[in-house]
């Protein structure tokens, strides 16, 4: 694996000369998107990724922000590589979707299950998990607020570092695909919790609003109610339409 991560001298140079030392997760993320491409496109990916990282240097203000930038830069580089190979916008998104959804799915599902489903109070555990993640995993490029609502709580993303990055690269059209990536942890929520996401920044709203409530049937003792919302437990639609 280490040898594969160092396949491209130019890519290796860019990763070694960042503001902060990349983590193994950073390197594996780049490798993941690079290896999802046909072999003939990987050199183009290396050039695109190196150029994006070079242009992003002024924004690498802290280690968490750098990791987020590495992730979305690899994602954008893979998309642009597919476009350069002759695929259209929709076809490139469709090709990229499986790679995006494979990234971190098992890890996200495990930590969601371990931290929430096994708790005597899943809602309390979920809120604590969300608040801890907001403090320790997002960094200053995100602004997240949590508040109580009847039957649960809401976590509201008022500034998204991914959207800010995509805007700098004239690629906000891809934001909706990253929103769909939330399914990797939404699918792992216990059925006793009703999840809704009525608004997102990607659709032009003021925030991404994540609402968590006890399912009505769970409260009445009649069993869990399926989640119904813009982000459901169904598999993602691979035919993501243009904005």
């Amino acid at each position: 694996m280490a040898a594969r991560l160092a396949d491209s001298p130019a890519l290796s140079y860019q990763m070694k000369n960042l503001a902060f030392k990349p983590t193994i997760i950073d390197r594996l993320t780049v490798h993941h998107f690079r290896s999802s491409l046909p072999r003939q496109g990987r050199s183009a990916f290396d050039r695109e990724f190196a150029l994006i990282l070079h242009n992003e240097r002024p924004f690498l203000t802290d280690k968490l922000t750098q990791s987020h930038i590495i992730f979305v830069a690899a994602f954008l580089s893979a998309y642009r590589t597919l476009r350069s190979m002759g695929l259209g916008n929709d076809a490139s998104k469709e090709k990229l979707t499986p790679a995006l959804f494979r990234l971190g799915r098992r890890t996200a599902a495990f930590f969601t299950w371990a931290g929430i489903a096994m708790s005597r109070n899943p809602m309390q555990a979920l809120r604590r998990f969300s608040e801890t993640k907001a403090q320790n995993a997002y960094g200053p490029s995100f602004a997240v607020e949590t508040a109580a609502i009847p039957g649960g709580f809401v976590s509201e993303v008022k500034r998204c570092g991914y959207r800010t990055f995509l805007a700098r690269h004239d690629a906000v059209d891809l934001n909706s695909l990253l929103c769909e990536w939330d399914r990797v942890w939404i699918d792992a929520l216990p059925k006793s919790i009703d999840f809704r996401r009525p608004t997102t920044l990607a659709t032009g709203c003021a925030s991404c609003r994540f609402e968590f409530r006890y399912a009505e049937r769970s409260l009445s003792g009649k069993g869990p109610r399926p989640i119904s919302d813009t982000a459901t437990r169904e598999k993602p639609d691979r035919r993501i339409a243009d904005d």
Side-chain angles (χ1 to χ4, degrees), residues 65-80:
T65 298
Q66 177 176 285
S67 288
H68 289 306
I69 286 176
I70 288 173
F71 157 66
V72 73
F75 165 75
L76 178 58
S77 297
Y79 168 79
R80 286 182 171 174

Side-chain angles (χ1 to χ4, degrees), residues 4-239:
R4 291 182 179 181
L5 291 174
D7 278 348
S8 166
L11 189 61
S12 179
Y13 174 82
Q14 288 294 333
M15 292 291 282
K16 287 180 179 178
N17 289 274
L18 295 173
F20 305 91
K21 183 179 179 181
T23 67
I24 185 62
I25 299 300
D26 295 335
R27 296 175 66 82
L28 287 172
T29 296
V30 177
H31 172 74
H32 173 80
F33 282 109
R34 185 179 190 269
S35 62
S36 73
L37 298 168
R39 289 186 178 275
Q40 64 269 29
R42 294 176 186 176
S43 293
F45 172 91
D46 295 346
R47 291 191 295 271
E48 185 67 37
F49 183 74
L51 178 60
I52 291 175
L53 281 190
H54 176 77
N55 292 335
E56 284 293 307
R57 284 184 179 277
F59 305 100
L60 304 180
T61 55
D62 60 276
K63 199 163 187 177
L64 279 176
T65 298
Q66 177 176 285
S67 288
H68 289 306
I69 286 176
I70 288 173
F71 157 66
V72 73
F75 165 75
L76 178 58
S77 297
Y79 168 79
R80 286 182 171 174
T81 298
L82 291 170
R83 293 301 307 272
S84 72
M85 296 175 68
L87 273 69
N89 187 32
D90 288 348
S92 296
K93 289 180 178 180
E94 183 176 1
K95 186 77 172 176
L96 190 55
T97 295
L100 179 63
F101 276 79
R102 285 196 303 269
L103 185 66
R105 175 178 286 276
R106 291 182 179 179
T107 302
F110 172 77
F111 280 107
T112 302
W113 172 81
I116 299 168
M118 301 302 292
S119 172
R120 291 184 178 182
N121 189 331
M123 186 65 69
Q124 185 181 68
L126 179 57
R127 179 168 181 174
R128 184 168 56 248
F129 178 81
S130 298
E131 290 174 339
T132 300
K133 187 174 181 181
Q135 294 172 2
N136 301 328
Y138 289 129
S141 64
F142 288 78
V144 185
E145 296 180 3
T146 304
I149 57 175
F153 74 97
V154 58
S155 181
E156 198 165 8
V157 180
K158 297 192 172 182
R159 183 176 66 250
C160 173
Y162 298 151
R163 183 170 181 79
T164 303
F165 172 97
L166 291 173
R168 288 198 295 266
H169 295 272
D170 195 25
V172 291
D173 176 55
L174 298 178
N175 201 165
S176 59
L177 190 54
L178 290 178
C179 288
E180 289 299 305
W181 188 50
D182 285 334
R183 294 179 189 271
V184 300
W185 60 264
I186 292 170
D187 289 350
L189 290 173
K191 292 182 179 180
S192 60
I193 292 179
D194 183 7
F195 169 78
R196 300 178 188 276
R197 190 184 59 188
T199 65
T200 65
L201 289 163
T203 57
C205 299
S207 67
C208 298
R209 185 176 173 87
F210 299 84
E211 298 178 356
F212 305 89
R213 294 181 176 88
Y214 279 114
E216 290 180 5
R217 292 187 179 182
S218 176
L219 291 174
S220 65
K222 298 180 180 179
R225 179 183 63 182
I227 288 179
S228 59
D229 190 60
T230 53
T232 69
R233 293 179 185 276
E234 299 174 358
K235 292 183 178 179
D237 186 350
R238 300 294 171 82
R239 299 165 299 169

